[in-house]
Amino acid sequence: MNADEYKGWVGVFDSGVGGISVLRALVSELPNERFVYYGDSAHAPYGEKTPEEVLGLSRQIVEQLLAAGCKAIVIACNTATSAAATQLRAAYPEVPIIGVEPALKPAVLGTPDGTVLVMATPMTVRLEKFQHLMEEWGSGARVIAVPCEGLAARIERGKLCEPDLIDLIDSLVGGYAGTVDAVVLGCTHYPFVLEQIRHVLGDVPFYDGGAGTARQLRRRLAAGGLLTGRDVEGAVAFLSSKDTPEELALYQRFFQT
Ligand code: DGL
């Protein structure tokens, strides 16, 4: 990224392909904005690293996006939001930095007295942010949080129709089949395997944080007078720390699904 190459664009990042599920919601909410998406696929998965490592990686990416001129940052990753959002906001108080969190609130409100299964990375489930979310919303329903070790890394590899993926999902959450009333996809990689999860858990409502994050970005840009004045179609650019044509083609495929 060169200095000012993305001046006035919104910078979006994740450990890899997952944040593309959020990017789709952003483009749909704000079609005239320009988004530069950075996937840190060389360092995925974040959810099985330490919070300090994820903070360090997130900081480097945000520094680059801001040096390239981005006007706002979307952390399109539940794990990096938990590990780094507070510190990044403190470091760059003048920049809107929007995070994503498991959509526990709408799931609990939509499932009174039912059972809500939260699927997320081991780090998201462990960190304080999720514990706070549980304190605030966890009592309106029976909430079961499952750390889904290995799932984001498997999704990173693509080839989502192969049977080993269903086997992995089954080994992680298959034991809850028929007993849950709603599922929170608390990692931005998981919406890409929603059908496979549905196959294992049954046809229940699914919740993810993409649309809420997009609405929050709109509010923050509007409040800061930062919404684009352009009335032409926006743009999306993809960058990856695993900078190969195959990886960027994978990002495009995930964006178009
Ligand atoms: N997509 C990310 C999330 O929402 C991180 C997955 C990972 O790299 O472990 O948590």
Side-chain angles (χ1 to χ4, degrees):
M1 269 179 271
N2 299 320
D4 285 345
E5 188 177 352
Y6 295 106
K7 195 165 177 53
W9 292 46
V10 176
V12 183
F13 78 94
D14 176 48
S15 63
V17 295
I20 296 171
S21 65
V22 178
L23 179 66
R24 293 195 323 200
L26 301 176
V27 170
S28 143
E29 177 75 23
L30 294 160
N32 300 332
E33 293 291 343
R34 288 170 296 179
F35 297 95
V36 51
Y37 181 87
Y38 186 93
D40 196 8
S41 293
H43 301 111
Y46 278 6
E48 292 158 39
K49 293 189 159 27
T50 65
E52 294 72 28
E53 284 173 311
V54 173
L55 174 59
L57 291 164
S58 303
R59 210 188 274 282
Q60 277 175 27
I61 295 167
V62 169
E63 275 167 15
Q64 288 180 56
L65 290 169
L66 293 179
C70 289
K71 63 182 176 183
I73 300 291
V74 176
I75 309 174
C77 174
N78 293 266
T79 308
T81 300
S82 303
T86 305
Q87 294 87 332
L88 291 170
R89 288 180 185 131
Y92 303 104
E94 71 290 357
V95 181
I97 298 183
I98 290 91
V100 58
E101 65 179 25
L104 189 59
K105 175 182 169 183
V108 166
L109 293 177
T111 323
D113 304 321
T115 300
V116 174
L117 185 79
V118 181
M119 299 174 66
T121 68
M123 193 189 304
T124 297
V125 172
R126 212 173 48 235
L127 287 184
E128 211 180 331
K129 187 168 175 44
F130 184 69
Q131 301 310 323
H132 286 158
L133 209 53
M134 282 292 280
E135 278 158 27
E136 198 171 356
W137 297 105
S139 56
R142 181 168 169 254
V143 180
I144 304 167
V146 179
C148 292
E149 182 141 13
L151 185 53
R154 173 59 190 82
I155 296 167
E156 270 302 292
R157 296 211 305 274
K159 301 199 170 64
L160 303 183
C161 295
E162 299 202 344
D164 70 292
L165 184 52
I166 294 275
D167 292 345
L168 175 60
I169 295 168
D170 195 36
S171 73
L172 292 165
V173 294
Y176 299 103
T179 67
V180 297
D181 303 299
V183 177
V184 175
L185 301 176
C187 166
T188 56
H189 281 66
Y190 302 167
F192 291 113
V193 294
L194 188 149
E195 288 313 320
Q196 291 85 332
I197 298 172
R198 199 196 297 279
H199 178 83
V200 170
L201 284 176
D203 193 12
V204 296
F206 283 78
Y207 295 85
D208 71 62
T213 303
R215 288 193 298 272
Q216 179 65 358
L217 175 64
R218 172 188 283 285
R219 281 192 288 270
R220 291 295 305 279
L221 291 179
L226 292 170
L227 282 166
T228 181
R230 298 157 23 102
D231 59 3
V232 295
E233 197 183 332
V236 172
F238 288 103
L239 303 170
S240 175
S241 54
K242 198 169 170 183
D243 193 13
T244 62
E246 294 75 28
E247 194 63 23
L248 293 171
L250 184 73
Y251 286 19
Q252 287 287 355
R253 266 208 311 285
F254 272 72
F255 186 58
Q256 277 147 19
T257 24

